Amino acid sequence: MTPNSSGVQFPTDSAGNRSSGRLAKQVVADALATVDPAAGDRVHKIKDWRKGYIQPFTELVSAGVADAAAWDGVARAALDSLQSRMVGVHEVDGQMVETPMTDYLAVVPSRSTPGTETVHGTAAPATELSIPYRGEELSGAMLRARLDTWVDAGVIEPSCADALRLVQDNPEWLSLPGRAMLVLGLGSEMGPAARLLRWGADVLGVDLPSSPVWDRFREQAAGFAGRLHFPTDADGRPGIDLLTQLPELAAWARSAAPAPLTVGSYFYADGGTHVQLSSAADALVVDLLKDGTADALAYLATPMDTFVVPADVRRASDAALAARKATDVKKIVGALTGQKVFHRNYEKGHGPAVHDALVPQQGPNYTLAKRVQRWRATTAFADGHTVSVNVAPATDTRSVTKNKILAATYKGAHAFGIEIFEPATSSALLAALLVHDLNVGRPDVGVQWEHESHGAASGGLWRQPYLPRTALPVAALLGTVKR
């Protein structure tokens, strides 16, 4: 976008340039300053942000391990910094003006309310939970057995398996009775829309007018039991742009909602656009929660991030590390490199630990965009709203396969006990976890980070013995050879 483009934008600097890196440093520094002013100052001194972003993003998580107030304070400070700096560019009396995203939807009216097209499914609603896996559709005893296998291998957490078994026992939950799902990013490979529609839910789908998703979902209607609603322009064409039509989207959500909404953020974009989308979506959810149009939020957390994990996860990883034989190649290489390769996953100690799976290949824009969602999940949860936030397994999506390094890493990850999921498996599993969260309600947690760690499906990253950043380069090498 050019500096004068309308819609959600990064702030300008003194030279009139819009920089995602400059914004990210300001947001992270402001958030860190609430718990450690010196750490906040250090962020401003980082010269190469792309190489230096990992440590401060990790510090933002480690600050709240034992301090619930710090966890909540970091989230609120970060969101306030982000949304007071990000702007919505709009026209007033023929002039382009900028309004902070904190005020954008209150100041900028919708030019019109989009129409609605509804696709009615004709299939019978699902009567049991099933999840596709390697060419099979697992349900009943086969699904329970697979869950046990995943837990034993450390691929999913026991709480994840428990949640899925509970959905199996309550198939009437699958259609999300009494609520509707607003899906931001209808075409997402990881999103829940297709599964929810098969299960009989009401889904409001949002994606770009240029997306091929509209025809695809129309063509799949015979396999749906639910209803899909999507916005249309004056000529009946589907789609809406979250960045340039945010007021119109808010107006449409209010007019089209057949029941209280759960707003789910499943979009993806390259580079800074992902941050812009997260800012726009955050403004939208705050606006829809304010008047009760929405009563719940849903997010997916990438496993390639930093989380606090329970003590039993640390113990399992430590046990795997201790079980290595003296002749283990990884142990020998680790010693020879001073642990620069195959460094232990968690520092020595007891109790909850910080799991750091950030890798430079993801980049600071992706990390910031996903943290915006986690920060909003934190504050909304603390403010009494129902929030579904689940750690997703590493998945072989298009956004991964187009990155040669990440694609090779995923191909070699099995050598470290990490399972890479197919998109169809991940989306179904995560849709079932969403169903669980919305029907069971708010979990009873002692500290905020437990809300994130509960029900996690890390794919094996959490319980394996090595810090991902020091093992995955070897996985990439193995994946390259495997090609």
Side-chain angles (χ1 to χ4, degrees):
M1 291 186 182
T2 64
N4 291 322
S5 295
S6 62
V8 181
Q9 294 278 12
F10 293 105
T12 56
D13 60 19
S14 57
N17 298 315
R18 301 187 188 275
S19 167
S20 61
R22 179 172 171 270
L23 170 88
K25 288 177 72 171
Q26 291 170 326
V27 171
V28 172
D30 287 347
L32 269 180
T34 65
V35 291
D36 185 349
D41 289 339
R42 287 197 301 271
V43 173
H44 290 298
K45 297 175 183 177
I46 297 174
K47 293 182 179 179
D48 188 340
W49 178 240
R50 187 168 183 84
K51 290 183 178 179
Y53 78 94
I54 289 178
Q55 181 178 342
F57 268 109
T58 301
E59 289 180 283
L60 287 172
V61 171
S62 60
V65 175
D67 189 340
W71 186 274
D72 186 73
V74 161
R76 293 184 191 276
L79 289 171
D80 181 67
S81 178
L82 176 91
Q83 296 296 66
S84 64
R85 295 177 188 278
M86 292 291 289
V87 296
V89 182
H90 55 105
E91 186 176 337
V92 177
D93 297 330
Q95 299 292 319
M96 301 305 291
V97 300
E98 298 185 358
T99 297
M101 290 305 297
T102 48
D103 305 317
Y104 183 60
L105 286 175
V107 170
V108 182
S110 171
R111 291 162 292 189
S112 62
T113 299
T116 302
E117 178 180 337
T118 299
V119 176
H120 295 268
T122 57
T127 57
E128 65 175 345
L129 173 64
S130 66
I131 294 177
Y133 184 68
R134 297 182 178 177
E136 294 184 278
E137 194 75 22
L138 303 183
S139 62
M142 290 181 65
L143 178 55
R144 290 180 184 273
R146 174 48 54 185
L147 297 179
D148 290 340
T149 300
W150 278 335
V151 170
D152 291 343
V155 171
I156 65 174
E157 291 302 301
S159 57
C160 177
D162 291 343
L164 294 171
R165 293 189 191 102
L166 194 56
V167 176
Q168 278 191 290
D169 294 339
N170 295 274
E172 69 278 6
W173 290 354
L174 293 171
S175 63
L176 297 181
R179 63 174 58 248
M181 187 77 196
L182 175 61
V183 175
L184 304 178
L186 180 64
S188 166
E189 290 182 89
M190 299 285 283
R195 278 282 151 175
L196 292 177
L197 287 165
R198 290 191 186 110
W199 295 338
D202 259 308
V203 174
L204 284 72
V206 173
D207 217 311
L208 289 168
S210 60
S211 173
V213 71
W214 312 114
D215 288 339
R216 185 168 82 241
F217 272 77
R218 288 183 183 120
E219 292 165 0
Q220 294 175 353
F224 295 155
R227 297 182 299 170
L228 173 61
H229 316 272
F230 46 80
T232 58
D233 65 14
D235 296 318
R237 291 171 298 203
I240 195 166
D241 191 327
L242 182 59
L243 296 184
T244 62
Q245 297 176 283
L246 189 57
E248 288 72 30
L249 175 54
W252 176 74
R254 289 185 166 90
S255 69
L261 291 174
T262 297
V263 184
S265 296
Y266 303 101
F267 45 79
Y268 171 81
D270 291 331
T273 304
H274 199 179
V275 178
Q276 291 172 273
L277 287 169
S278 283
S279 174
D282 191 63
L284 178 67
V285 301
V286 169
D287 191 60
L288 295 179
L289 286 173
K290 196 175 300 181
D291 67 358
T293 300
D295 65 357
L297 305 179
Y299 300 102
L300 299 182
T302 173
M304 307 306 294
D305 203 343
T306 306
F307 298 93
V308 184
V309 299
D312 67 300
V313 173
R314 183 207 284 259
R315 287 194 297 269
S317 175
D318 288 349
L321 190 72
R324 299 175 305 169
K325 297 179 180 179
T327 56
D328 187 296
V329 173
K330 300 183 186 72
K331 185 173 184 179
I332 295 170
V333 171
L336 290 174
T337 61
Q339 311 306 319
K340 291 182 179 179
V341 180
F342 302 131
H343 189 282
R344 64 183 301 134
N345 208 351
Y346 303 101
E347 297 304 321
K348 293 180 181 180
H350 302 281
V354 174
H355 181 260
D356 177 9
L358 285 170
V359 293
Q361 289 81 8
Q362 293 276 43
N365 284 323
Y366 180 80
T367 302
L368 177 59
K370 297 303 291 183
R371 286 292 178 91
V372 171
Q373 298 172 9
R374 289 174 60 189
W375 290 328
R376 183 55 65 193
T378 290
T379 62
F381 179 75
D383 292 342
H385 299 291
T386 296
V387 181
S388 174
V389 54
N390 290 297
V391 178
T395 304
D396 203 12
T397 59
R398 286 187 294 271
S399 64
V400 168
T401 56
K402 70 181 183 181
N403 183 309
K404 291 183 179 180
I405 295 177
L406 287 177
T409 300
Y410 277 25
K411 284 184 179 295
H414 64 89
F416 300 92
I418 298 167
E419 180 166 348
I420 304 301
F421 279 54
E422 296 176 351
T425 302
S426 284
S427 62
L429 183 149
L430 294 164
L433 291 175
L434 168 68
V435 164
H436 169 272
D437 297 345
L438 295 180
N439 280 280
V440 171
R442 291 165 52 78
D444 182 17
V445 299
V447 287
Q448 279 271 29
W449 59 259
E450 290 181 324
H451 186 214
E452 289 187 339
S453 66
H454 185 85
S458 75
L461 283 167
W462 283 12
R463 290 175 180 258
Q464 62 108 9
Y466 306 111
L467 182 70
R469 205 162 43 249
T470 67
L472 293 181
V474 180
L477 179 62
L478 294 173
T480 302
V481 172
K482 187 176 180 180
R483 287 181 173 181

